Amino acid sequence: MTSNWIRHLADVRMTDVREVGGKAAGIGELFAAGARVPGGVVLPANVAAMTPEQRQRLLAVAVDELGAGPFAGRSSGVVEDGLERSFAGMFETVLDVDAGGLQAAADRVLASADAARAAAYEPVDGARLAVIVQCMVSPLAAGVVLTADPITGDRGTVVVNAVRGLGDRLVSGAAVGDEWVVRGEDVDARRLPEQAIDRDQALEIAAEARRIAHIRGMPQDIEWAIDTEGTLWILQARPMTALPPDVSWVPAARGAYHRSFRFGEWIGEPVTPLFESWLLLDLEIGLHAWLKQELGQGAPLPHHVIVNGWYFYSLNWISPGSMLRSLPSIVWHVARQPRAAAGVIPSTVRHSFPIMERRWRADLQPRYRAAVTAAAERVEVIPVSELPGLINEMAALAGEYYGSVVALAGAAYKMEINLAKFYRKHLEPALGGSHLPLLAGIEAPSDPEPHAVVSLDWWHTSGRQAGSPSGTAAHGRAVAGRQAAEAAAREALASSPRRLRDFESMLADGQHLVSIREEQVREWTLPWPVMRRAVVRIGESLVSRGLLESADDVFFLYRDEVMGALDGGELPSATSVHSRRTQREEQARLVPPMAIGKWNPMLKRFLESYPAMFGARPSDHAIVSGVPASPGIASGTVRTIRGPHEFDQLQPGEVLVAPFTAPAWTPLFTRAAAVVTDVGSAAAHASIVAREYGIPAVVGCGDATARLRTGMHVTVDGTTGNVEPAAG
């Protein structure tokens, strides 16, 4: 080297970071690891203090060393690309610069140390910023590869993002790019708007990234490029910062478990200990007792598992072994009441639901209302020792009531599948669109009632959480859209009387079940305020005995701890209760998978085919996809809302992105342009209410609240089930 001020990137190491900066030192380590890296040099970290003439002389040396160009000018801060902060994208990068433009490029890189975006991240002294001059690669494709999933933290997953040409469009956020997910030798193309690379190239990039991460001993964020000859180049690498914890999602019990099924549709956060160990268990027991009694359907234990604080409902009752064990009981029930048992088959559900509806109205509904009214009169006056009995009574009855919800909501789901299939076969070729408008505008949403819940977890208070829905105009538009869709369908089927009769029958049943299902769901949580008040009274009694610091702490105890304390026993220390609160807050930041455990082929096929049953269509541009739940297309700014403390943040015209919604969330639908949820089905609250307000909805996306960040501009297509970057 002809100057002591310039060093080849291949010669520097992390021990030189104070002289050459973190990025240059990292590139030097890539050379040492045997990666194919474009040649380059680095001007030292005090280059900003030099005169323009001194910098010009150093840049001339760089040209002598590297050739005529073109070059890339990059920053290399002393604190950049470190373990605690990466400063990714905070400083200027200037690409495709010829020898004559190096001086101006270096000045732009140095000036970025004082830019507002860098200062907002952390003030950086320009004298601590080195400048890299690197030979340009002329890429056919470029991008970023992450050796751990940045959403879930899974260290066994490699995520490859790619665009055509230079990668600065991807790094700057101007383009979404392709996304490939690589697990071992399994490759999944999650999104392909650019078609920049193929499967084999994704595997090659992932393999090289894993090799580099192994050598460097930690997950890496690596920029790469593939040139016109098909050669893979590694441009730079930095440690992945702010990565979620590396946790296991393997259930303690064998079998298949899902986060968005039955009670899971009402839970979008880690559960509190008392809810999981008391109310949730009793609800499941009551539900499965009802299913056994009415349908002969058994269910092996456990009914659920908790992994890292998150609830997963068991689907092991669908396994061949469990179904075989239940077969004698099911056959007996079919023989005893064939019309009631017919509802397990979608094509015959129209024969079963009227029976279930009559039973609900004649017996369970009035009995439920009367029991809750009686419990509300007792909850404030009975001794504390009798409160657990009152809670048990309400929980058992709520579990039984949910059996009727499952029966009728399940009927609604099956009827919708039948209608969707009919529409795709006989109406879509002529009319386009989907069946969804036919099930919209059925019943105007009402104000949340005092028992409306934010979440199934009784830790949350019930009742009204935001302003009045006042969505009369929006509902009116949904009604008009439904009537227009009905008229178009009837006209298209006029030449086939038989098909028209089938359509009218399915339509009438499907629309009827929409209103029944919403009535049931609104009423199901009637006992929640009573049960919560009983729990708080227990907490207050434990506070009076000095066993708890606040009554609210009782929700972070387990059922056996509460019962033991009521019998005169001791409780965990205040520190233990506090640690449970802290642990739940930490678990709330995790992004759980939708499904865990070992899935048999039948269940796996069902899970994969579920969105398509309602008209979902793959999109190469989708950021997230899910179940199409309410028709239409709307664009807007994302607003992620996780609970009632954030309800007032949603602005009119924004896209509501939430873990799930429940009746107390209804007023938000009057402000939202569209709704996207992590969990939920075509029969979930978000689906039904969005249809009534005539706004698009996509539900059951799994990780929408992690991938769709507040401020992003997206387009929600509630007919195809996709959320894509908004045009422009």
Side-chain angles (χ1 to χ4, degrees), residues 71-378:
F71 304 104
R74 306 179 189 276
S75 67
S76 184
V78 169
V79 293
E80 193 175 2
D81 288 1
L83 291 175
E84 296 183 1
R85 289 176 293 276
S86 72
F87 287 82
M90 291 295 108
F91 302 125
E92 192 80 48
T93 293
V94 186
L95 301 177
D96 211 16
V97 181
D98 60 22
L102 270 181
Q103 175 76 38
D107 289 345
R108 283 175 59 186
V109 170
L110 292 170
S112 67
D114 299 322
R117 56 182 174 157
Y121 191 77
E122 180 178 303
V124 177
D125 182 356
R128 301 177 66 200
L129 197 68
V131 175
I132 296 170
V133 178
Q134 202 169 10
C135 294
M136 275 289 298
V137 173
S138 297
L140 284 179
V144 174
V145 54
L146 308 172
T147 63
D149 190 317
I151 301 297
T152 67
D154 180 11
R155 272 62 168 178
T157 296
V158 177
V159 180
V160 181
N161 296 104
V163 293
R164 289 182 175 273
L166 294 171
D168 58 324
R169 289 190 300 122
L170 181 67
V171 176
S172 67
V176 175
D178 301 342
E179 184 169 281
W180 296 79
V181 179
V182 183
R183 300 178 183 88
E185 295 301 311
D186 294 330
V187 185
D188 175 35
R190 181 180 285 163
R191 183 178 64 239
L192 294 175
E194 301 256 338
Q195 301 284 333
I197 60 174
D198 59 26
R199 179 185 184 278
D200 289 342
Q201 288 171 319
L203 275 170
E204 179 188 8
I205 295 164
E208 177 65 357
R210 278 194 293 254
R211 188 184 71 82
I212 292 169
H214 177 73
I215 291 172
R216 302 193 76 176
M218 64 191 68
Q220 297 289 299
D221 173 344
I222 299 170
E223 292 184 28
W224 58 269
I226 294 177
D227 65 19
T228 55
E229 303 298 322
T231 302
L232 173 63
W233 294 86
I234 302 300
L235 306 180
Q236 61 185 41
R238 61 176 69 89
M240 292 183 70
T241 57
L243 195 62
D246 186 14
V247 298
S248 169
W249 293 99
V250 177
R254 296 177 61 185
Y257 302 86
H258 202 275
R259 192 161 62 92
S260 182
F261 194 72
R262 290 187 175 161
F263 299 116
E265 289 190 354
W266 296 72
I267 302 170
E269 59 192 349
V271 291
T272 54
L274 194 66
F275 169 66
E276 187 272 330
S277 62
W278 194 339
L279 178 55
L280 194 49
L281 281 176
D282 283 5
L283 290 174
E284 291 174 338
I285 290 170
L287 166 64
H288 286 283
W290 186 93
L291 292 172
K292 180 73 172 178
Q293 174 183 319
E294 296 295 327
L295 301 177
Q297 182 188 96
L301 294 173
H303 294 317
H304 76 262
V305 293
I306 301 296
V307 184
N308 299 315
W310 292 80
Y311 172 83
F312 293 85
Y313 182 79
S314 170
L315 293 183
N316 295 326
W317 52 275
I318 306 179
S319 69
S322 179
M323 295 176 74
L324 186 62
R325 286 189 292 273
S326 297
L327 187 59
S329 179
I330 293 173
V331 170
W332 183 84
H333 278 77
V334 169
R336 184 172 64 92
Q337 45 181 3
R339 284 174 60 85
V344 299
I345 303 173
S347 60
T348 63
V349 70
R350 66 183 184 276
H351 301 302
S352 69
F353 81 78
I355 298 172
M356 295 297 184
E357 183 182 344
R358 285 197 297 270
R359 289 180 182 175
W360 165 60
R361 288 218 184 271
D363 172 43
L364 184 54
Q365 186 181 52
R367 181 160 50 90
Y368 197 60
R369 291 172 175 175
V372 174
T373 298
E377 294 171 352
R378 295 163 50 209

Side-chain angles (χ1 to χ4, degrees), residues 317-605:
W317 52 275
I318 306 179
S319 69
S322 179
M323 295 176 74
L324 186 62
R325 286 189 292 273
S326 297
L327 187 59
S329 179
I330 293 173
V331 170
W332 183 84
H333 278 77
V334 169
R336 184 172 64 92
Q337 45 181 3
R339 284 174 60 85
V344 299
I345 303 173
S347 60
T348 63
V349 70
R350 66 183 184 276
H351 301 302
S352 69
F353 81 78
I355 298 172
M356 295 297 184
E357 183 182 344
R358 285 197 297 270
R359 289 180 182 175
W360 165 60
R361 288 218 184 271
D363 172 43
L364 184 54
Q365 186 181 52
R367 181 160 50 90
Y368 197 60
R369 291 172 175 175
V372 174
T373 298
E377 294 171 352
R378 295 163 50 209
V379 70
E380 296 289 356
V381 297
I382 61 176
V384 171
S385 61
E386 296 180 17
L387 290 172
L390 183 147
I391 294 170
N392 293 342
E393 174 192 344
M394 290 292 97
L397 197 54
E400 179 186 354
Y401 191 99
Y402 196 75
S404 70
V405 174
V406 167
L408 291 177
Y413 147 72
K414 296 182 183 76
M415 286 302 304
E416 183 165 346
I417 289 178
N418 293 338
L419 184 60
K421 288 180 178 178
F422 182 94
Y423 191 98
R424 285 197 299 273
K425 183 176 181 180
H426 300 297
L427 292 170
E428 185 179 353
L431 302 178
S434 78
H435 72 287
L436 290 171
L438 296 167
L439 298 178
I442 307 298
E443 181 179 347
S446 59
D447 289 352
E449 297 169 282
H451 59 269
V453 298
V454 170
S455 166
L456 204 60
D457 196 323
W458 58 11
W459 182 49
H460 295 280
T461 57
S462 302
R464 194 168 178 168
Q465 299 289 334
S468 171
S470 63
T472 305
H475 177 68
R477 290 191 294 272
V479 172
R482 171 177 55 78
Q483 291 172 341
E486 290 174 358
R490 290 180 178 119
E491 183 178 352
L493 296 170
S495 61
S496 176
R498 181 180 60 81
R499 287 179 185 170
L500 182 58
R501 285 195 303 272
D502 291 343
F503 170 74
E504 296 287 7
S505 176
M506 285 187 287
L507 182 67
D509 288 343
Q511 291 178 347
H512 174 72
L513 284 165
V514 167
S515 59
I516 292 297
R517 196 266 178 190
E518 278 304 284
E519 180 184 355
Q520 279 194 311
V521 165
R522 286 197 302 269
E523 189 170 77
W524 179 49
T525 57
L526 270 173
W528 260 248
V530 178
M531 291 189 292
R532 189 180 195 283
R533 179 56 192 150
V535 172
V536 170
R537 276 199 65 198
I538 292 172
E540 290 169 347
S541 73
L542 299 180
V543 170
S544 69
R545 290 169 51 194
L547 297 178
L548 289 179
E549 293 182 356
S550 72
D552 190 61
D553 285 341
V554 71
F555 294 102
F556 291 86
L557 301 176
Y558 290 94
R559 181 180 187 168
D560 58 350
E561 293 173 340
V562 169
M563 300 307 293
L566 290 178
D567 286 340
E570 296 296 320
L571 281 179
S573 67
T575 302
S576 176
V577 171
H578 175 74
S579 68
R580 291 175 184 176
R581 285 181 177 269
T582 301
Q583 182 184 45
R584 183 178 179 276
E585 292 172 1
E586 293 171 349
Q587 291 170 334
R589 290 192 283 271
L590 299 174
V591 181
M594 191 68 88
I596 61 174
K598 186 174 182 180
W599 288 62
N600 64 60
M602 178 177 68
L603 271 177
K604 190 175 182 181
R605 283 194 299 272

